[in-house]
Each structure stands twice: as structure tokens, then as C-alpha cells.
Amino acid sequence: MTTLHADIELTRSESFNIDVEFSMPAGTTIALLGPNGAGKSTVVAALAGLVPLHRGIIRMDQEILDEPANSRFVAAEDRDFGVVFQDYLLFPNMTVRDNVAFPLRNRSIRRKAANREAEQWLTELGLIGLANQKPGTLSGGEAQRVALARALIAKPAVLLLDEPMAALDVNARAGLQTVLKDHLDDFAGPRLLITHDPREAFLFADQIHIIEHGKITQSGDANDIRLNPMTQYAAGIAGGWSLD
């Protein structure tokens, strides 16, 4: 069973450093919850191999993915991670089907087999009728589901979701929460959800880490944070949200 451990130290500017440490066991959803500018997306970029660490270590079981002290760095394309970015990053010149099939085609799987599996995912997510469309014609909710299908089709060891519903309006977000939760629950590996919305963290996560100014200020489940907030930000969350 895969466990991802991250000890991430990055200097983003003279006045802003990121220094966080957490573990993501297999079969659990970990939420990194914090205000805009807290460093959440930088953590995802580091885990995905898009930004190398300055200090620390990222380790998946016994495999070291990034450790500056030993000059060890595994490139993004060689990390077995599925990533759903905040703006989805769909290829605008490809059809929906080709976007979803891309990770398989990138592994030299034949087009017919890759397309067949992509269509299975599109059917499961209620998107098969859009298979021949380009991303520019999709709604935010449709694009989010395409990005999720593209991340899941390759059966990655780890799933990273960076504010996956931030671009959606309230109605679309509510409709997709159940879809997303079902797929997270079915995913066997570690899952990391980046969000600034406590509702999403409380709904999806088994464990929540609050990040403020580049550091984790509190960790626990939803009840821990609701009943025993440790910072002003956490208190604001507790005061504005009820689990009852």
C-alpha cells in the first residue's frame, strides 16, 4: 500500500518560505486548507515535480522522488501521479476524447485501445456525448470532469487535486461534489485535495492540514478543527460552519 511522505522546504521570495511536513497514507484523502496565497498550489507543484525542493524530501514508500541533500530528483513525467489543476490545463486543440486518452497514448498504447478506455471514463462521468467537442466549448463543470477522467485513466499511484472546483459557480460545484467524492472514495492510493473552502475539506477529507503563510498551523479531522481551533483563521472556519 502506497504512502507518500512530504517534507517540503521552498523559498518563494525574501519574505515567504514554505516549510510543511505531512504524510498521505493509501486510501485516505488529505486536505490542505488555507487562504489564498498560503502556499497550497506550490506544495502541489513540488509534489508533482514541477518545482524542485530547496531542502527536505518527498518519498513514496521507499522511493525518493526529491531530496536535494543527495541530488535526487525524479522528473514530473516519471512520477506516477495524476494531477487535476485549478484551471484544468486541457489541450485546446484536442477533442475531449483525445484529452482523456492522452496519458495512455503517451505510454504508447494504441489509439483504438486508448480511445475505447477514454470513452468508458466519459460514459461513467456523463460526458460521452461531448467526446468529439473541443475544451473551449465546455462548461466549467464539464471541463472539471474531463480533467478528472484524464487524471484517473492512467491509474496513478497518487492523486493530486488543486482547487478542482474553484472555477465553478455554486450550482455546478454542488452538483459535482457527489461525483468527485465517489471517485475519491474509489481511488486506492493517497489523495491530496487543495482547497480554500472549508466545506470541501470537511466533506472530502479524512485528515485536514491548515496551512497559513507557508506553514501548517493545525492538523486533525473536521471535528478537531471545528471544536478546537488553534488560530484566528481556524476559528473563523469553526464559527462559520457547522457539521450538524
Side-chain angles (χ1 to χ4, degrees):
M1 299 293 284
T2 300
T3 295
L4 182 70
H5 178 76
D7 180 0
I8 296 172
E9 295 187 47
L10 285 165
T11 300
R12 303 303 289 165
S13 70
E14 291 184 0
S15 59
F16 189 72
N17 297 313
I18 293 175
D19 186 355
V20 299
E21 184 173 4
F22 58 90
S23 291
M24 297 166 51
T28 61
T29 298
I30 305 299
L32 201 59
L33 170 65
N36 292 332
K40 303 185 299 298
S41 291
T42 301
V43 170
V44 169
L47 291 171
L50 302 176
V51 176
L53 299 182
H54 295 157
R55 291 167 299 279
I57 188 171
I58 297 173
R59 185 180 67 247
M60 191 161 65
D61 292 334
Q62 300 306 311
E63 180 187 5
I64 295 173
L65 302 178
D66 193 348
E67 189 178 27
N70 290 313
S71 301
R72 172 66 174 166
F73 180 77
V74 175
E77 60 268 24
D78 295 323
R79 300 189 187 193
D80 190 10
F81 288 11
V83 187
V84 178
F85 292 100
Q86 187 173 153
D87 55 1
Y88 312 133
L89 296 182
L90 300 176
F91 299 112
N93 60 322
M94 291 184 180
T95 65
V96 165
R97 180 191 295 105
D98 288 342
N99 264 278
V100 176
F102 179 81
L104 301 185
R105 295 288 294 144
N106 203 40
R107 294 181 178 178
S108 300
I109 293 176
R110 292 183 180 274
R111 181 179 296 277
K112 186 175 181 180
N115 285 347
R116 183 166 57 248
E117 191 162 348
E119 288 171 359
Q120 290 173 354
W121 275 103
L122 292 173
T123 299
E124 186 171 342
L125 288 168
L127 296 168
I128 191 60
L130 305 176
N132 293 316
Q133 293 187 207
K134 299 288 182 67
T137 68
L138 304 179
S139 69
E142 291 164 348
Q144 192 266 359
R145 282 182 283 172
V146 173
L148 180 62
R150 187 177 64 181
L152 291 171
I153 194 171
K155 300 179 176 62
V158 178
L159 186 62
L160 309 176
L161 301 106
D162 185 4
E163 300 270 13
M165 289 183 282
L168 306 183
D169 62 35
V170 173
N171 291 332
R173 189 179 306 161
L176 283 172
Q177 283 179 340
T178 300
V179 172
L180 181 57
K181 186 169 186 353
D182 286 345
H183 283 285
L184 287 180
D185 289 345
D186 289 341
F187 185 79
R191 294 95 62 161
L192 179 67
L193 172 69
I194 300 295
T195 184
H196 66 273
D197 186 343
R199 296 171 182 82
E200 290 180 8
F202 291 170
L203 175 64
F204 295 123
D206 302 295
Q207 179 86 357
I208 299 168
H209 299 297
I210 292 181
I211 180 171
E212 303 177 70
H213 309 294
K215 292 180 172 53
I216 291 176
T217 56
Q218 185 170 356
S219 298
D221 62 22
N223 275 326
D224 293 332
I225 291 168
R226 181 173 67 98
L227 298 175
N228 187 33
M230 299 179 67
T231 69
Q232 185 174 354
Y233 173 78
I237 291 171
W241 177 255
S242 171
L243 298 182
D244 298 330

